[in-house]
Amino acid sequence: MNWEEMREYVQPAIQSKVEEFHLYGFDRASEAEVWECLRKKKWKRDEEPKPVREIMNDVLRLSISDYMSYITVEAYKMPFDFPSS
């Protein structure tokens, strides 16, 4: 199973995590961002997906602070265009 197949398989857990973040007031959280957060932070060195139970565990244990840290770092990486005068 590749990463995209795994994403589809664990999608209900990802959706649940997004709903949890929304309950805490992080309305910007999306399934795509949660998945990318895990891919870039938790599984960045893994070429092949882990067993399903480990992936589910990682999804469900993703903390708000880890997610917000990821979002902040990604925001700093984005280009910023200064308005011309």
Side-chain angles (χ1 to χ4, degrees):
M1 191 176 292
N2 65 33
W3 281 109
E4 284 309 309
E5 291 170 334
M6 183 62 73
R7 179 182 179 179
E8 290 177 23
Y9 195 77
V10 299
Q11 192 275 334
I14 297 168
Q15 182 180 1
S16 175
K17 183 54 68 173
V18 168
E19 290 171 4
E20 175 187 332
F21 288 171
H22 288 180
L23 286 173
Y24 286 115
F26 296 102
D27 296 331
R28 184 172 165 241
S30 69
E31 292 178 21
E33 283 183 335
V34 167
W35 181 255
E36 283 304 308
C37 172
L38 289 163
R39 286 277 296 148
K40 289 182 178 179
K41 286 191 73 153
K42 193 76 172 169
W43 311 317
K44 63 183 168 189
R45 292 187 180 96
D46 299 334
E47 292 181 24
E48 296 290 321
K50 299 177 181 184
V52 174
R53 67 181 182 282
E54 290 181 35
I55 299 249
M56 291 289 282
N57 188 43
D58 290 342
V59 170
L60 295 174
R61 294 185 80 190
L62 179 65
S63 70
I64 290 174
S65 62
D66 287 341
Y67 176 73
M68 291 306 295
S69 173
Y70 164 77
I71 294 296
T72 302
V73 168
E74 290 300 307
Y76 281 121
K77 290 180 183 178
M78 294 182 72
F80 182 78
D81 292 331
F82 290 99
S84 58
S85 21

